[in-house]
Amino acid sequence: MVEQQKQKPEIPYLTRIQVLGAMGATAIILLIVAKLWLYFGNFSLFSWKLNQRELLLGVGLGFVITALSGLAYRLWTAYRKSADYYLEVVLKPLALPDLIWLGLLPGLSEELLFRGVILPALGSDHLAVIVSSLCFGVLHFSGSQQWPYVIWATIVGMILAYSALITGNLLVPIVAHIVTNWISSYLWKMWQLSAIKS
């Protein structure tokens, strides 16, 4: 029993304002880094064109990533523990309407930096996909026992990067990221609320 308590990471309890503030600050920092990299770099930003086909492709990809994440959650115990910790820290203090920001802020800022800027800056090839995805995964690191979550975020980063490369449209990973965050956070919140009621 004592051994289990030592292995379980202590969850830092944040307030709703702290979580929303951290999301907003992170989004602003990522946007500034992206703008600076674009300003000093010698490459073009991945374009994003609004069209129905690629909008639907992004929505579909978001559902696929969410389903894969659910599968990983059920089958991979270390990932489940890591995801529960991460989601407990980030989602527990938030109200349901706050989930809109949880989708939009990271979906826009992270995709602009990792798929819009870093991917083309590194050459838009397989190595660029790996490096940008590793950077994306590390962004989700929140403690020494969170490596399974980092690994999963890296895999998702690769899926999103290839969606940008294949379509040539940054809209696809942006929409997929937003949809994934919305669906998975909503399902987690509903699961938590039902657990509290029963």
Side-chain angles (χ1 to χ4, degrees), residues 61-77:
L61 185 59
F63 276 99
V64 168
I65 292 170
T66 303
L68 291 173
S69 182
L71 192 61
Y73 187 87
R74 282 178 173 60
L75 300 177
W76 184 14
T77 306

Side-chain angles (χ1 to χ4, degrees), residues 1-10 145:
M1 187 70 145
V2 175
E3 185 65 31
Q4 285 180 340
Q5 288 175 339
K6 284 182 183 176
Q7 290 179 349
K8 189 173 183 181
E10 186 176 319
Q145 296 183 1

Side-chain angles (χ1 to χ4, degrees), residues 34-54:
K35 286 286 189 185
L36 288 172
W37 202 331
L38 276 172
Y39 182 77
F40 291 110
N42 186 21
F43 62 93
S44 356
L45 175 72
F46 256 109
S47 65
W48 54 320
K49 305 168 283 290
L50 184 58
N51 68 53
Q52 186 178 9
R53 180 183 166 272
E54 290 175 350

Side-chain angles (χ1 to χ4, degrees), residues 150-165:
V150 171
I151 291 167
W152 180 249
T154 301
I155 292 167
V156 170
M158 292 177 81
I159 294 169
L160 294 170
Y162 278 116
S163 77
L165 282 180

Side-chain angles (χ1 to χ4, degrees), residues 170-198:
L170 192 57
L171 179 70
V172 176
I174 287 172
V175 170
H177 195 149
I178 290 169
V179 167
T180 300
N181 282 11
W182 278 344
I183 296 171
S184 57
S185 60
Y186 178 78
L187 291 174
W188 193 86
K189 284 295 271 187
M190 291 298 100
W191 178 69
Q192 287 293 307
L193 288 173
S194 68
I196 290 168
K197 287 178 184 176
S198 56

